[in-house]
Amino acid sequence: MEGNAVMREKLIVEGLSHHYPDEYTGMDIHALDNVNLKVTEGEFAAVVGPSGCGKTTLLNILAGLLPHKVGSVRVDGHEVKGPGPDRGVVFQEHAILPWRTVERNIGHGLEIQGLPAPERKRRVQEFVDLVGLTGFENRYPHELSGGMKQRVALARTLCANPVVMLMDEPFAAVDAQTRITLQEELNRIAIATRKTILFITHNVDEAAFLGDRCFIFTRRPGKLKATVKINLPRESRVWKNAVADPAFTGARDEILSLVREEVRDDDG
Amino acid sequence: MSAAATTFMAGRMGLDRKRMRGIGLGAIPFLVLLGAWELNTFMGWLKPVYIPPLRAVVDAVFTLQEGCSALGILGMHESCLFTNHILSSLGRVGLGLVVGVPLGIGLGVLAGMSRRLSNAMEPVGVFANAISGIAWVPLAIVWFGVGWFTTLFILLNTVFWLVFFNTLLGVRSVPRTYEHSVLTLGGNRWHIISQVYIPGALPSIVTGVRMGIGFGWRALIAAEMIGGNTGLGFMIFVSANEYKVEEVFLGVLLIGIIWMVTDRIILVPLEKWTIERWGLVWRPS
């Protein structure tokens, strides 16, 4: 029973703390303090917190881009020691390579894995279609809109088939209309691919709309303040209905008040 | 074809027409100079010892090539003076590039990745860049004598440092997110170098190669004048000593023409196929 439960937990963070020296002043910054969280298989977990609460530090540690000294991070039972294809990351912006076409960006992970071209092409096409970029396979990123670029980034990560997908405010840089569309698209894609996702955002509505559960962080040093479960089947989530659904609005208001407690003192 | 693709193509064609007009405008100053030159010959303002007629410059080609066959050109037969000088200058530039460019890119990428290496190499690079190619000539002659080694040394000194510096700056300017994204896709150091640093630094590398060939070509001509026994620089120098002004003119014109052709035929298309296609340069719309 116990072993089975561990297997279903794809991402386990235990006692994670992190300090780093400030880039300019050299002063010690306590970014994360004893963070504990678990994300189960197929779950969509959102992480919300005020600016500077260490969300991005957490993501960089999980991705293996930033080494951690205190605590443990395990993905599928393996301790994280550096970047690896078991954790796919969708960055905020400017992360797809300008010198690769849409197709070659999406297939990049498979190319690195050494998958033969015909098989790769088939897999890539599947994800091109999934994110709605059919017909744009041979375009270069500079020929695409901001929203389309993020679709490419999403497809690239999915196509490499990671155990856990980490997303760092992926829709923060696109306009409000595009953001709403992308959120609904991501929800559909997450359901279709049954991916385990950790999604970082400072946008409360976004967290409540996308997440099965939402982790709320305190301000620095960031620690887990509360966990809010959103009791709304992901299949039924569309913005048009969500705004009038008490299951969504209730969770959103709860998250909002928890986050506001953290920013109130600063902003008056 | 989709509507978007159609406008895309139409935009392309408009651009080509604009480019043709640009080339037409660029030809005007040359035509004006050519006209003035011919007019001078016709009016007899400046004597042929100062400015020879265009006709004499063209004739100089045949004089220099007298007794040379097509096969002789390729074999660099001694009767083919004119083409021999061109080929030996081009050969030196080519050799300088074949050695200098990969070396500059290679060390530039490494220095772009390692603070320690760039800290070690930057001061000596600034020092070497400050000494113009020509200032090395007397020393190079002492070291290597008159000939190939001297000119190659001068050329390498310009090409290598310019390519090295520009590659270094290019690698540093590549956003870290590109590197991170390839690492999280499972990429290793080699993937980062070949798929992120080099393509990302390419605009800068092309600038470096361009400057390298440009400055290198000038330094080479100067080096050939002083420390050469073949090449266009040598040809100009010898002709001037023998008061063959038409040969001097021919050499000077060729230096400019060869550089223009290299730039337009090799570097500009290279830029178009890569950097412009990837949207890495700002282009006025």
Side-chain angles (χ1 to χ4, degrees):
Chain A
M1 285 263 297
E2 183 63 30
N4 192 29
V6 169
M7 283 309 287
R8 283 188 41 82
E9 276 155 359
K10 290 289 169 184
L11 174 69
I12 303 175
V13 178
E14 276 174 347
L16 181 69
S17 294
H18 191 74
H19 293 255
Y20 64 90
D22 184 89
E23 205 178 323
Y24 301 106
T25 62
M27 268 163 50
D28 183 74
I29 291 176
H30 192 178
L32 295 171
D33 183 40
N34 191 27
V35 174
N36 296 283
L37 56 87
K38 286 172 182 167
V39 183
T40 54
E41 190 170 3
E43 187 181 25
F44 196 119
V47 173
V48 196
S51 305
C53 74
K55 297 187 298 274
T56 297
T57 305
L58 174 69
L59 183 123
N60 283 335
I61 290 173
L62 301 188
L65 295 168
L66 192 64
H68 63 284
K69 295 187 197 85
V70 184
S72 91
V73 177
R74 273 171 290 153
V75 170
D76 227 1
H78 302 286
E79 184 70 31
V80 166
K81 290 202 181 77
D86 55 336
R87 287 145 290 138
V89 184
V90 181
F91 295 91
Q92 201 174 95
E93 54 176 337
H94 304 311
I96 55 171
L97 303 180
W99 40 89
R100 285 181 169 245
T101 58
V102 166
E103 195 173 57
R104 294 203 63 217
N105 262 299
I106 295 177
H108 200 171
L110 299 179
E111 196 183 308
I112 288 169
Q113 287 167 28
L115 201 75
E119 170 71 3
R120 191 166 76 217
K121 205 164 167 54
R122 196 184 58 73
R123 285 272 297 280
V124 167
Q125 195 59 50
E126 194 181 305
F127 286 96
V128 166
D129 297 342
L130 181 71
V131 298
L133 285 173
T134 318
F136 290 90
E137 291 86 347
N138 296 314
R139 292 295 179 89
Y140 282 90
H142 76 107
E143 299 169 320
L144 307 177
S145 67
M148 287 160 93
K149 282 183 208 170
Q150 282 310 65
R151 285 168 193 264
V152 176
L154 179 65
R156 174 177 70 172
T157 305
L158 286 167
C159 193
N161 197 24
V163 176
V164 177
M165 184 153 83
L166 308 168
M167 304 183 79
D168 185 14
E169 306 207 27
F171 308 144
V174 297
D175 64 85
Q177 293 308 314
T178 310
R179 189 178 309 140
I180 286 173
T181 315
L182 288 175
Q183 285 160 349
E184 290 185 339
E185 288 278 284
L186 175 60
N187 184 51
R188 173 181 67 79
I189 289 162
I191 296 164
T193 57
R194 299 200 185 101
K195 273 283 157 234
T196 308
I197 299 171
L198 186 86
F199 186 99
I200 283 177
T201 179
H202 63 265
N203 181 330
V204 171
D205 285 52
E206 185 169 76
F209 180 76
L210 288 169
D212 290 313
R213 272 192 307 158
C214 180
F215 298 121
I216 294 106
F217 270 58
T218 65
R219 59 198 163 129
R220 213 152 60 199
K223 37 182 188 287
L224 192 57
K225 178 189 174 82
T227 306
V228 173
K229 196 165 171 15
I230 297 114
N231 290 311
L232 186 64
R234 264 158 61 191
E235 286 75 7
S236 69
R237 295 185 192 188
V238 280
W239 274 113
K240 190 159 57 76
N241 303 337
V243 287
D245 192 325
F248 169 77
T249 53
R252 180 196 62 191
D253 295 345
E254 189 183 350
I255 298 165
L256 187 62
S257 66
L258 286 162
V259 173
R260 279 193 64 91
E261 283 170 17
E262 295 303 313
V263 290
R264 198 164 43 201
D265 297 347
D266 293 350
D267 301 336
Chain B
M1 195 181 284
S2 73
T6 317
T7 20
F8 185 69
M9 295 297 283
R12 275 248 167 107
M13 269 145 73
L15 205 76
D16 278 350
R17 209 172 299 135
K18 251 184 231 162
R19 205 165 261 153
M20 289 307 285
R21 205 177 299 148
I23 291 170
L25 283 172
I28 291 174
F30 286 106
L31 294 173
V32 170
L33 280 171
L34 213 64
W37 189 2
E38 278 295 83
L39 192 67
N40 176 67
T41 308
F42 183 72
M43 304 296 287
W45 289 325
L46 286 164
K47 286 183 191 153
V49 277
Y50 300 118
I51 297 187
L54 175 60
R55 189 57 212 272
V57 175
V58 177
D59 283 345
V61 177
F62 297 100
T63 317
L64 286 163
Q65 288 290 90
E66 207 171 317
C68 175
S69 64
L71 218 68
I73 293 177
L74 292 173
M76 292 185 79
H77 188 265
E78 58 178 6
S79 60
C80 310
L81 274 174
F82 174 66
T83 45
N84 285 355
H85 287 311
I86 296 177
L87 288 175
S88 80
S89 284
L90 284 179
R92 283 174 184 139
V93 172
L95 188 64
L97 290 176
V98 164
V99 180
V101 171
L103 207 64
I105 293 177
L107 279 170
V109 168
L110 289 178
M113 289 165 67
S114 148
R115 270 282 154 193
R116 213 177 275 178
L117 185 62
S118 69
N119 283 344
M121 291 200 55
E122 265 190 76
V124 69
V126 172
F127 177 80
N129 259 346
I131 304 167
S132 59
I134 190 80
W136 283 108
V137 175
L139 253 189
I141 292 173
V142 172
W143 290 342
F144 309 114
V146 168
W148 270 82
F149 259 122
T150 295
T151 42
L152 187 62
F153 174 79
I154 303 304
L155 205 65
L156 270 184
N157 249 307
T158 17
V159 173
F160 169 76
W161 289 109
L162 283 164
V163 174
F164 169 78
F165 262 112
N166 280 282
T167 307
L168 164 64
L169 293 177
V171 168
R172 279 206 197 136
S173 71
V174 176
R176 285 298 142 241
T177 330
Y178 293 160
E179 190 183 325
H180 288 165
S181 68
V182 174
L183 283 173
T184 56
L185 286 169
N188 56 30
R189 193 167 277 258
W190 172 244
H191 292 122
I192 303 285
I193 292 175
S194 63
Q195 296 171 6
V196 178
Y197 289 151
I198 292 178
L202 203 65
S204 204
I205 293 174
V206 171
T207 306
V209 171
R210 219 170 180 171
M211 284 168 71
I213 305 178
F215 283 105
W217 184 235
R218 277 169 251 182
L220 173 72
I221 299 299
E224 283 173 347
M225 284 186 176
I226 306 169
N229 46 20
T230 51
L232 284 171
F234 177 75
M235 182 184 109
I236 292 170
F237 193 71
V238 170
S239 305
N241 282 343
E242 295 171 0
Y243 296 102
K244 291 181 185 159
V245 194
E246 62 285 350
E247 284 181 16
V248 176
F249 260 71
L250 179 64
V252 171
L253 288 175
L254 265 171
I255 290 166
I257 290 168
I258 289 174
W259 166 242
M260 269 180 67
V261 170
T262 321
D263 197 54
R264 301 289 128 170
I265 291 189
I266 302 170
L267 295 172
V268 171
L270 178 72
E271 230 163 17
K272 224 162 76 179
W273 293 329
T274 57
I275 300 162
E276 279 188 36
R277 201 158 146 232
W278 302 340
L280 296 181
V281 279
W282 176 83
R283 197 171 48 197
S285 51

Coordinates of all heavy atoms in Angstrom, one line a residue, chain B residues 107-108 111-112 114-130 160-161 164-166 168-169 172:
Chain B
L107 N 38.0 29.4 -30.2 CA 38.5 30.0 -29.0 C 37.5 31.0 -28.5 O 37.3 31.2 -27.3 CB 39.8 30.6 -29.2 CG 41.0 29.6 -29.1 CD1 42.3 30.3 -29.6 CD2 41.2 29.1 -27.7
G108 N 36.8 31.7 -29.4 CA 35.8 32.7 -29.0 C 34.6 32.1 -28.3 O 34.2 32.6 -27.3
A111 N 35.9 31.1 -24.9 CA 36.1 32.2 -24.0 C 34.7 32.8 -23.6 O 34.6 33.3 -22.5 CB 36.9 33.3 -24.7
G112 N 33.7 32.7 -24.5 CA 32.4 33.1 -24.2 C 31.8 32.3 -23.1 O 30.9 32.8 -22.4
S114 N 33.6 30.7 -20.7 CA 34.4 30.6 -19.5 C 35.0 32.0 -19.2 O 35.7 32.6 -19.9 CB 35.6 29.7 -19.6 OG 36.7 30.1 -18.9
R115 N 34.5 32.6 -18.0 CA 35.0 33.9 -17.6 C 36.5 33.9 -17.4 O 37.2 34.8 -17.8 CB 34.4 34.2 -16.2 CG 33.1 34.9 -16.3 CD 33.3 36.4 -16.6 NE 32.1 36.9 -17.2 CZ 31.9 38.0 -17.8 NH1 33.0 38.8 -17.9 NH2 30.8 38.4 -18.4
R116 N 37.1 32.7 -16.9 CA 38.5 32.7 -16.7 C 39.3 32.8 -18.0 O 40.2 33.6 -18.0 CB 38.8 31.3 -16.0 CG 39.9 31.5 -15.0 CD 40.2 30.2 -14.3 NE 39.3 30.0 -13.1 CZ 39.4 28.9 -12.4 NH1 40.2 27.9 -12.7 NH2 38.6 28.7 -11.3
L117 N 38.9 32.1 -19.0 CA 39.6 32.1 -20.3 C 39.4 33.5 -20.9 O 40.4 34.1 -21.4 CB 39.1 31.1 -21.2 CG 39.8 30.9 -22.6 CD1 41.3 30.6 -22.3 CD2 39.1 29.9 -23.5
S118 N 38.2 34.1 -20.8 CA 38.0 35.4 -21.4 C 38.8 36.5 -20.7 O 39.4 37.4 -21.3 CB 36.6 35.8 -21.6 OG 36.0 36.0 -20.3
N119 N 38.9 36.4 -19.3 CA 39.7 37.3 -18.6 C 41.2 37.2 -19.0 O 41.9 38.2 -19.0 CB 39.6 37.0 -17.1 CG 38.3 37.6 -16.5 OD1 37.6 38.4 -17.2 ND2 37.9 37.1 -15.4
A120 N 41.6 36.0 -19.2 CA 43.0 35.7 -19.6 C 43.3 36.3 -21.0 O 44.4 36.8 -21.3 CB 43.3 34.3 -19.5
M121 N 42.3 36.2 -21.9 CA 42.6 36.5 -23.3 C 42.3 38.0 -23.7 O 42.8 38.5 -24.7 CB 41.9 35.5 -24.2 CG 42.6 34.2 -24.1 SD 42.3 33.1 -25.5 CE 42.9 34.0 -26.9
E122 N 41.3 38.6 -23.0 CA 40.9 39.9 -23.4 C 42.0 41.0 -23.5 O 42.1 41.6 -24.5 CB 39.7 40.4 -22.5 CG 38.4 40.0 -23.2 CD 37.2 40.7 -22.5 OE1 37.0 41.9 -22.7 OE2 36.5 40.0 -21.8
P123 N 42.8 41.1 -22.4 CA 43.8 42.2 -22.5 C 44.8 42.0 -23.7 O 45.1 42.9 -24.4 CB 44.6 42.0 -21.2 CG 43.6 41.3 -20.3 CD 42.8 40.4 -21.1
V124 N 45.2 40.7 -23.9 CA 46.2 40.5 -25.0 C 45.5 40.7 -26.3 O 46.1 41.2 -27.3 CB 46.8 39.1 -24.9 CG1 45.9 38.0 -25.2 CG2 48.0 39.0 -25.8
G125 N 44.2 40.5 -26.4 CA 43.4 40.7 -27.6 C 43.3 42.2 -27.9 O 43.5 42.6 -29.1
V126 N 43.0 43.0 -26.9 CA 43.0 44.4 -27.0 C 44.3 45.0 -27.5 O 44.4 45.8 -28.5 CB 42.5 45.1 -25.7 CG1 42.6 46.6 -25.8 CG2 41.1 44.7 -25.3
F127 N 45.4 44.5 -26.9 CA 46.7 44.8 -27.3 C 47.0 44.5 -28.7 O 47.5 45.3 -29.5 CB 47.7 44.1 -26.4 CG 49.2 44.3 -26.6 CD1 49.8 45.5 -26.2 CD2 49.9 43.4 -27.4 CE1 51.2 45.7 -26.4 CE2 51.2 43.6 -27.6 CZ 51.9 44.7 -27.2
A128 N 46.7 43.3 -29.1 CA 47.0 42.8 -30.5 C 46.1 43.6 -31.5 O 46.6 43.9 -32.6 CB 46.7 41.3 -30.6
N129 N 44.9 43.9 -31.2 CA 44.0 44.6 -32.1 C 44.5 46.0 -32.3 O 44.3 46.6 -33.4 CB 42.6 44.7 -31.5 CG 41.7 43.7 -32.2 OD1 42.0 43.1 -33.2 ND2 40.5 43.5 -31.6
A130 N 45.1 46.6 -31.3 CA 45.6 48.0 -31.4 C 46.8 48.1 -32.4 O 47.0 49.1 -33.1 CB 46.0 48.5 -30.0
F160 N 42.1 36.5 -37.0 CA 41.9 35.8 -35.8 C 41.3 36.6 -34.7 O 40.3 36.3 -34.1 CB 43.2 35.1 -35.3 CG 43.0 34.5 -33.9 CD1 42.3 33.3 -33.7 CD2 43.5 35.2 -32.8 CE1 42.1 32.8 -32.4 CE2 43.3 34.7 -31.5 CZ 42.6 33.5 -31.3
W161 N 41.9 37.7 -34.4 CA 41.5 38.6 -33.2 C 40.1 39.1 -33.5 O 39.3 39.2 -32.5 CB 42.5 39.7 -32.9 CG 43.7 39.1 -32.3 CD1 45.0 39.0 -32.9 CD2 43.9 38.5 -31.0 NE1 45.9 38.4 -32.1 CE2 45.2 38.0 -30.9 CE3 43.0 38.2 -30.0 CZ2 45.7 37.4 -29.8 CZ3 43.5 37.6 -28.9 CH2 44.8 37.2 -28.8
F164 N 37.6 36.2 -33.1 CA 37.6 35.8 -31.7 C 36.8 36.8 -30.9 O 35.9 36.3 -30.2 CB 39.1 35.8 -31.2 CG 39.2 35.6 -29.7 CD1 39.0 34.4 -29.1 CD2 39.4 36.7 -28.9 CE1 39.1 34.2 -27.8 CE2 39.5 36.6 -27.5 CZ 39.3 35.3 -27.0
F165 N 37.0 38.1 -31.0 CA 36.3 39.0 -30.2 C 34.8 39.0 -30.5 O 34.0 39.1 -29.6 CB 36.9 40.4 -30.3 CG 37.9 40.8 -29.3 CD1 39.2 40.9 -29.5 CD2 37.4 40.9 -28.0 CE1 40.1 41.2 -28.5 CE2 38.3 41.2 -26.9 CZ 39.6 41.4 -27.2
N166 N 34.5 39.0 -31.7 CA 33.1 39.1 -32.1 C 32.4 37.8 -31.7 O 31.2 37.9 -31.3 CB 32.9 39.4 -33.6 CG 33.1 40.9 -33.9 OD1 32.2 41.7 -33.6 ND2 34.3 41.2 -34.3
L168 N 33.2 35.9 -29.1 CA 33.1 36.0 -27.7 C 31.9 36.9 -27.3 O 31.1 36.5 -26.4 CB 34.4 36.6 -27.1 CG 34.4 37.2 -25.7 CD1 34.2 36.1 -24.7 CD2 35.8 37.8 -25.4
L169 N 31.8 38.1 -27.9 CA 30.6 38.9 -27.6 C 29.3 38.3 -28.0 O 28.3 38.4 -27.2 CB 30.8 40.3 -28.3 CG 32.0 41.1 -27.8 CD1 32.1 42.4 -28.6 CD2 31.8 41.5 -26.3
R172 N 28.2 35.6 -25.5 CA 27.8 36.3 -24.2 C 26.4 36.9 -24.4 O 25.6 37.0 -23.4 CB 28.7 37.4 -23.8 CG 29.9 36.8 -23.1 CD 30.5 37.8 -22.2 NE 31.8 37.5 -21.8 CZ 32.9 38.3 -21.8 NH1 32.7 39.6 -22.1 NH2 34.0 37.9 -21.4

